[in-house]
Amino acid sequence: SDLYRHFPDKDSLMRAVAARGFDALADAFEAVVPFASVARDGADAKARFLHLAKAYYSLARRRRDLWRLMFGPLGVSSTPPVGRPSTYDWLGKCLGELAEFDIIAKPHAEHQLFAWSAIHGVSDLQASPAVGGQQAESAIETQCALIIAALGTRSPDRS
């Protein structure tokens, strides 16, 4: 194929495709939560967190094969896009805003990993019978509410 002459091997091609997937995810995040913007109040911080999670869930639903590639061994080895935050940085930003308005405790690295794994998990399982046919919007709203409850202001703060 003509594509292969631009890449030294198939893995390089697949890494490039996965990197484009992360670019598309960053574009979706920027559309709903511009990285340079800030939450106005607690309700806005919650809404921004939910919008981010829905954008994540939506990409997983609409571009399933790309999603699998992005989070497979070739995708996760991709370097973050140059000149803009990584998609993981957006989650940290939203969690930080929730903490600023005392909706959750000050987030630590493991809190961010917990939130990401919960959102990623429901996004990855959406086609599975394990999700029980929940509507997309309902499933992600429930996950976000559970994350906020789990990271609530009464969470132990290790700082």
Side-chain angles (χ1 to χ4, degrees):
S1 166
D2 286 337
L3 281 177
Y4 284 108
R5 69 183 161 143
H6 298 286
F7 297 92
D9 55 39
K10 181 181 176 186
D11 284 357
S12 296
L13 170 63
M14 300 311 281
R15 277 192 287 278
V17 172
R20 292 290 179 120
F22 282 108
D23 286 343
L25 185 58
D27 289 344
F29 285 177
E30 184 67 25
V32 296
V33 179
F35 200 80
S37 68
V38 294
R40 295 181 307 275
D41 54 31
D44 191 37
K46 283 182 175 181
R48 289 160 61 88
F49 177 59
L50 182 58
H51 291 317
L52 195 76
K54 285 181 178 180
Y56 193 87
Y57 190 94
S58 177
L59 183 77
R61 187 180 69 245
R62 291 181 296 104
R63 313 270 316 266
R64 196 81 183 142
D65 290 337
L66 177 59
W67 176 262
R68 294 277 185 200
L69 177 64
M70 289 166 61
F71 292 100
L74 295 174
V76 295
S77 66
S78 298
T79 55
V82 177
R84 75 166 153 191
S86 76
T87 52
Y88 199 64
D89 292 335
W90 257 279
L91 177 60
K93 174 184 178 54
C94 284
L95 292 176
E97 290 177 348
L98 289 168
E100 282 177 37
F101 293 102
D102 294 323
I103 295 166
I104 65 169
K106 178 183 174 194
H108 296 283
E110 61 269 17
H111 298 148
Q112 187 169 341
L113 179 60
F114 164 74
W116 173 75
S117 62
I119 294 166
H120 181 82
V122 76
S123 298
D124 201 46
L125 289 171
Q126 63 185 292
S128 166
V131 177
Q134 271 187 298
Q135 293 295 325
E137 195 141 322
S138 171
I140 203 66
E141 286 173 3
T142 299
Q143 270 324 82
C144 287
L146 289 169
I147 291 165
I148 288 171
L151 297 179
T153 56
R154 295 195 200 330
S155 294
D157 189 359
R158 302 178 348 173
S159 53

